[in-house]
Amino acid sequence: MAGEITLFPLADKQSDLAGYINSAGGWVLEPQFEDAESFSTYGVAPVELDGKWGVIDTSGEFVVPPKFESIAEFQANGLAVVQLNRKYGMINSAGEITIEAKFTSLDPFEDRQVAMAKLDNRIGFVTRSGEFTPLDSLNEIGKFSSRQSMMARVFGEAGTGVLDGQGNLLLPPQYEEVALGSAGFPFAVKQDGLWGFMAEHKIWVIEPKFESAMGFNPAGTAAVQYAGLWGIIDIDGQWVLNPELDAIIWFLGPKSRSLAIKDGKYGVLSHDGSWILPPQYPGLGFIDENDNLAVHTANGVGLITLTGEWIIPAKWESIRFFPASNLYQVVNSDGKKAVFTSEGKQVSDFLYTYIFGVSDELTKVYFGDDFTMGYLGKDYQPITFNAEDIPGLNSQLQTRADGGDPEAQLELGSLLWHGVGHRKDVAEGLAYLKMAAHQGYPPAQKALADFYFMESPSKANWALALMWDSIAKQNGAPLAGVLTTTLSGRVSPEILPLIELRASQCLESGYSDCLE
């Protein structure tokens, strides 16, 4: 049965081992593991010991002995993907193997009845009983999203289709593009260069006539582009808002509202076409669970309510929201981060490289050139370190990276690339990312794919991004494959088989022939 998380992982700098602390910062499980992940609500956590991963309970006893190459995070359903002998399977929170480790790739079930898998180079899905069904008409299965009612786009030789969370092919993969929407509504489908709306079984509900379209939101309206401008239609294809906007950015959330642009100004639009926040801002960011928005101005980034009242003044580099702790991470001009409450009160100093809200009791922070991790308590003050002891730049990380440590190479490469808590040097950052990726380190391979994508807006290096994303996915890197799904509709279908061939050549050569 799921419960409250009361223990939190922490690495001890002196021993370089990890253990678990309570919300007061005291050790409950002394440092003894090479690595430690967060406890799930089922009271178990993956840990690494002697180079293998197992699962412990809150007493520190092994529920699953350390024998796996990796164990992913336990999902809300109590299941976790594991790697054994370079194959993937699944275990439950009691340590029982529920899916045999025989797949070359395996996604988590989440709240679906099926999980996407690859077996002997055949893409398909596996049920919770372990039965595999190949889908030989598909080349790739996109990411499922609960926001889109657990449906996913699928990609085949002839185009794009839709798969549901039960493994049913709702639309065959034969269309130029598909945009998902809310359950029970038609899909936005592109055919012959124009977008329309199609129900299951290939029945057109609204004939293709739009230049672009988004899926229907829960309120039963959809954003479409017509004659170069954006408007809103209902399920019958009638205009709710005539096409008069520069852009509608996102229109699928549970509250069916969107950021929209009119005459170059940003505002917030309701599903019925009325303005919740009139267009008056040079830039708007997220709408969070508090109904607050990040505002981009010439003076910096701030935070406002949906009624336009200022919470955090617009003078910062960026703002990020953490729903688990209802806090905001605010970044200053030096790239350092501090914690702000949902009322806009600053409750920590600008000391940190990264901040992650993990619960209503603890906030995880990283600091220093060696990326030390610690926790802030309920009062947002350090409980596992002294703020005055936060080091400045030092050579420890550089020494480890230059000594061939791929984890250090990834950390240093990322810091140099982004210039976060470190001097910015994109070329040198790329060099360290490549060192780690060429050692076969999957997280670095995923980071290298992201680098080639993000640093090449002109698409010049997208082929390299896709190649490294494919390699990272084959090697089991978390979130690998998402980039390929994102780009698959934006690159020529003819090059995708060539990219897979390049990925195979790179792997087979031991990373000596990767055509970089």
Side-chain angles (χ1 to χ4, degrees), residues 303-324:
L303 195 73
I304 61 170
T305 67
L306 272 178
T307 58
E309 298 174 357
W310 286 97
I311 301 172
I312 299 175
K315 61 179 182 178
W316 309 106
E317 292 296 307
S318 68
I319 297 176
R320 180 181 178 184
F321 178 65
F322 292 103

Side-chain angles (χ1 to χ4, degrees), residues 122-145:
R122 301 181 74 186
I123 291 175
F125 61 83
V126 62
T127 65
R128 296 198 180 203
S129 64
E131 181 181 353
F132 177 72
T133 300
L135 298 171
D136 291 328
S137 63
L138 303 181
N139 296 332
E140 187 66 57
I141 298 174
K143 181 175 175 59
F144 280 85
S145 171

Side-chain angles (χ1 to χ4, degrees), residues 177-179 186-191 193-199 203-216 224 233:
E177 291 186 53
V178 176
F187 309 107
V189 176
K190 184 178 182 182
Q191 182 169 279
L194 293 175
W195 287 80
F197 291 85
M198 178 177 284
I203 300 173
W204 285 107
V205 176
I206 301 173
E207 293 291 328
K209 60 182 178 180
F210 304 108
E211 293 144 27
S212 190
M214 301 180 188
F216 276 94
V224 296
I233 60 170

Side-chain angles (χ1 to χ4, degrees), residues 188-506:
V189 176
K190 184 178 182 182
Q191 182 169 279
D192 298 327
L194 293 175
W195 287 80
F197 291 85
M198 178 177 284
E200 297 178 26
H201 312 302
K202 306 194 297 184
I203 300 173
W204 285 107
V205 176
I206 301 173
E207 293 291 328
K209 60 182 178 180
F210 304 108
E211 293 144 27
S212 190
M214 301 180 188
F216 276 94
N217 58 51
T221 57
V224 296
Q225 186 182 33
Y226 186 78
L229 295 173
W230 284 81
I232 301 173
I233 60 170
D234 62 19
I235 192 66
D236 297 318
Q238 301 299 309
W239 290 107
V240 175
L241 175 67
N242 289 325
E244 60 185 41
L245 303 179
D246 304 345
I248 295 178
I249 299 173
W250 186 69
F251 210 49
L252 285 174
K255 297 182 181 179
S256 300
R257 59 197 181 191
S258 171
L259 302 181
I261 307 173
K262 184 174 183 180
D263 299 328
K265 298 292 185 181
Y266 285 70
V268 179
L269 196 67
S270 174
H271 65 87
D272 61 4
S274 61
W275 289 102
I276 299 172
L277 188 64
Q280 56 187 299
Y281 301 97
L284 289 176
F286 55 81
I287 304 175
D288 63 35
E289 284 84 343
N290 296 321
D291 286 340
N292 298 330
L293 301 95
V295 180
H296 300 259
T297 73
N299 296 322
V301 180
L303 195 73
I304 61 170
T305 67
L306 272 178
T307 58
E309 298 174 357
W310 286 97
I311 301 172
I312 299 175
K315 61 179 182 178
W316 309 106
E317 292 296 307
S318 68
I319 297 176
R320 180 181 178 184
F321 178 65
F322 292 103
S325 54
N326 198 29
L327 296 173
Y328 294 92
Q329 169 188 275
V330 177
V331 184
N332 68 10
S333 58
D334 295 326
K336 297 298 183 183
K337 299 173 176 64
V339 180
F340 282 61
T341 68
S342 57
E343 294 78 28
K345 180 182 178 181
Q346 181 179 343
V347 290
S348 85
D349 294 326
F350 283 95
L351 295 172
Y352 306 110
T353 306
Y354 287 108
I355 296 173
F356 297 97
V358 295
S359 74
D360 58 358
E361 293 187 329
L362 291 184
T363 301
K364 184 189 297 185
V365 295
Y366 291 84
F367 53 86
D369 186 43
D370 57 356
F371 216 53
T372 299
M373 188 266 279
Y375 289 98
L376 309 182
K378 280 186 175 181
D379 58 357
Y380 310 108
Q381 298 305 305
I383 61 171
T384 61
F385 63 95
N386 295 318
E388 58 269 21
D389 293 336
I390 292 179
L393 298 181
N394 60 62
S395 61
Q396 293 180 10
L397 188 63
Q398 181 101 37
T399 300
R400 288 171 51 213
D402 291 341
D405 183 341
E407 185 176 355
Q409 290 168 346
L410 170 59
E411 289 183 13
L412 182 57
S414 299
L415 291 172
L416 287 165
W417 171 21
H418 296 294
V420 178
H422 203 286
R423 61 185 174 85
K424 184 178 179 70
D425 190 322
V426 174
E428 189 176 355
L430 171 60
Y432 279 106
L433 292 179
K434 289 172 69 174
M435 289 179 197
H438 282 253
Q439 289 196 68
Y441 188 47
Q445 294 168 344
K446 173 66 172 65
L448 188 56
D450 293 339
F451 178 94
Y452 282 131
F453 170 59
M454 297 174 67
E455 293 295 327
S456 301
S458 64
K459 304 184 181 181
N461 283 327
W462 280 14
L464 285 172
L466 290 167
M467 181 191 77
W468 281 108
D469 193 51
S470 173
I471 292 170
K473 184 175 182 180
Q474 292 181 61
N475 287 333
L479 300 180
V482 175
L483 180 60
T484 298
T485 301
T486 301
L487 294 182
S488 58
R490 301 164 63 183
V491 297
S492 173
E494 292 81 9
I495 74 167
L496 294 178
L498 297 176
I499 289 170
E500 288 299 320
L501 178 61
R502 288 179 64 173
S504 297
Q505 291 173 341
C506 180

